[in-house]
Amino acid sequence: MASQWYSLVTQKLFLAKTLLDQLEPPAPAPRQEALTQGAVELMLRARKLLLVMIARHYQERRAMPGTLEELAGCIGPDAREIGQLTALAAEGTSWWRHLDQLEQHQSQPPATRKTVTDDNIIAIATEPGPDRSAAGLLTTLTALKQFAKDLEEWHSEW
């Protein structure tokens, strides 16, 4: 049963990678933004489905956890996966945290910018936010895929 969920997780990650592979610097900005946002959304969906996959491994057939807290409520806070994911959520450079940052960034309207004139220009600043480069997103996607693969292999050994 859980392997069907693993297939769904990997399908979403494959589609996200397909979008990332199409990112080309000379491409028009709207196309690049659409590909980036699409890949991020698919990765966020894969992470959510990963939580459902874990619940299924623990025989929670109806559970549809959307957060780590909901998953802990389903399978218990002492489960191995809860410990692993909690550690990833606390680590500043983990794939889990990167997805949190991407989700927050993508769910907020763009920051309003002050009009630049000769009188008020002081310095050039880049817009802060998570790494949305193709390489950065690919690193996160690869780590998420490896986590799902390891999880599936671990549970299929039983």
Side-chain angles (χ1 to χ4, degrees):
M1 173 91 152
S3 63
Q4 291 174 327
W5 289 94
Y6 174 69
S7 294
L8 189 57
V9 169
T10 57
Q11 177 193 64
K12 300 301 179 200
L13 294 174
F14 173 79
L15 293 173
K17 182 167 181 341
T18 301
L19 292 176
L20 291 176
D21 288 344
Q22 294 181 32
L23 278 173
E24 300 168 12
R31 182 173 189 263
Q32 282 195 260
E33 187 62 24
L35 291 169
T36 300
Q37 285 195 28
V40 168
E41 289 298 330
L42 284 165
M43 290 166 47
L44 291 170
R45 177 62 58 105
R47 181 175 70 165
K48 215 171 195 179
L49 293 170
L50 178 75
L51 299 176
V52 176
M53 181 180 109
I54 294 168
R56 294 304 185 273
H57 280 303
Y58 282 84
Q59 306 303 315
E60 294 293 334
R61 301 203 189 286
R62 298 199 189 278
M64 297 293 287
T67 64
L68 186 51
E69 294 76 21
E70 290 174 10
L71 178 63
C74 292
I75 66 173
D78 298 328
R80 173 184 177 192
E81 293 83 354
I82 297 299
Q84 290 174 322
L85 292 175
T86 301
L88 286 169
E91 184 184 323
T93 58
S94 72
W95 61 266
W96 186 275
R97 284 289 294 271
H98 189 213
L99 287 173
D100 281 345
Q101 293 164 357
L102 290 166
E103 183 175 34
Q104 183 177 11
H105 181 266
Q106 205 150 290
S107 300
Q108 300 292 323
T112 55
R113 296 182 181 203
K114 196 174 191 179
T115 305
V116 177
T117 66
D118 289 337
D119 296 335
N120 71 1
I121 191 163
I122 297 172
I124 298 173
T126 59
E127 188 172 327
D131 181 4
R132 296 179 67 229
S133 68
L137 294 174
L138 189 57
T139 299
T140 296
L141 184 145
T142 303
L144 172 54
K145 185 177 180 181
Q146 187 61 50
F147 185 87
K149 181 181 177 193
D150 293 345
L151 186 69
E152 182 66 14
E153 287 176 1
W154 183 68
H155 279 280
S156 66
E157 290 175 3
W158 293 17

